[in-house]
Amino acid sequence: MSIINHEPQTFGVLDDAGRKLLFTEARTVNNFAATAVDDDELALIWDLARWSPSAANGQPLRVLFVRTREGKERLVRHLDEGNRAKTLCAPVVAVLAYDVDFHEQMPTVFPARGEMLRAAFADQIEKRESIAAYNSALQTGVFLLAVRAAGLAAGPMAGFNRPGVDEEFFAGTSWRSHLVVNIGHPGTDPWFPRLPRVSVEDAVAWA
């Protein structure tokens, strides 16, 4: 006979060092040191990021890690001018995308209702696009925290030609780009002065 434990689960609280690493002292980096980022570090980033919540556990986020000079040169021609130099100097560039055919994975990621969900979404490309875009954005926030948790810095950028990147890297696939993230160790004078945050009074309401 199995015994089910109904005791409420408790969680620890992130210590001050962890809060600084992930939140209060974390910064968007604009230039990077020449220190390489290895496969194990990239694997750790994804192993942490993949636990993000998403609707019906659909997990539409996809990642292309670009590390070669040739790959970066293919990418930067689709970036805004101000984003090109820092991307070329970054050890790794992650092109974050969403999979509009995420529903094909539903039987795997949501076994109890997966076949039903896959069938329900099969002919709803616009709805899948909307769901995938929103949920990949949710997952992206966790991805950036995962980069920081791996001891690295991130430089996210939305300034790029999405159709151009999709044609360059994802032609013939169901992936659609939505953010480019430079990844590495901070270089010399890598960030601007810390900018103010929105006040609690303007950002938080109570009911």
Side-chain angles (χ1 to χ4, degrees):
M1 177 185 296
S2 62
I3 299 176
I4 299 175
N5 184 0
H6 292 289
E7 290 295 321
Q9 186 172 0
T10 59
F11 298 94
V13 177
L14 194 65
D15 64 16
D16 189 55
R19 295 177 198 178
K20 289 179 179 178
L21 178 69
L22 298 181
F23 299 102
T24 59
E25 293 188 3
R27 305 291 302 278
T28 294
V29 169
N30 292 298
N31 66 73
F32 295 87
T35 308
V37 175
D38 62 31
D39 290 350
D40 289 342
E41 290 173 298
L42 296 179
L44 174 59
I45 291 170
W46 181 247
D47 193 51
L48 295 172
R50 68 195 185 99
W51 299 104
S52 169
S54 56
N57 201 35
Q59 304 172 54
L61 183 67
R62 304 291 183 263
V63 184
L64 168 69
F65 286 119
V66 181
R67 290 194 293 187
T68 66
R69 181 73 183 188
E70 183 269 338
K72 292 175 191 175
E73 289 175 349
R74 289 172 58 198
L75 176 61
V76 297
R77 59 173 170 252
H78 302 290
L79 303 186
D80 291 355
E81 182 66 36
N83 292 331
R84 294 177 183 177
K86 57 188 175 183
T87 298
L88 287 172
C89 83
V92 180
V93 188
V95 180
L96 303 188
Y98 56 84
D99 187 352
V100 295
D101 287 346
F102 70 92
H103 68 299
E104 296 292 352
Q105 296 288 335
M106 294 309 299
T108 298
V109 300
F110 200 154
R113 300 174 62 192
E115 291 294 349
M116 181 196 73
L117 289 166
R118 179 165 65 180
F121 283 128
D123 297 322
Q124 299 189 57
I125 180 62
E126 290 185 4
K127 187 172 184 178
R128 294 203 316 267
E129 176 95 25
S130 175
I131 290 172
Y134 179 85
N135 283 276
S136 66
L138 175 64
Q139 290 184 273
T140 292
V142 178
F143 181 91
L144 296 176
L145 290 177
V147 172
R148 296 170 177 178
L152 298 164
M157 303 173 295
F160 66 98
N161 180 345
R162 294 186 185 188
V165 169
D166 291 349
E167 180 63 27
E168 187 74 45
F169 293 99
F170 304 138
T173 78
S174 54
W175 292 20
R176 306 290 183 267
S177 59
H178 82 100
L179 193 71
V180 174
V181 184
N182 292 331
I183 298 172
H185 296 276
T188 303
D189 192 22
W191 39 63
F192 303 120
R194 171 72 87 180
L195 294 172
R197 305 291 98 179
V198 175
S199 70
V200 173
E201 292 77 13
D202 290 331
V204 179
W206 304 87

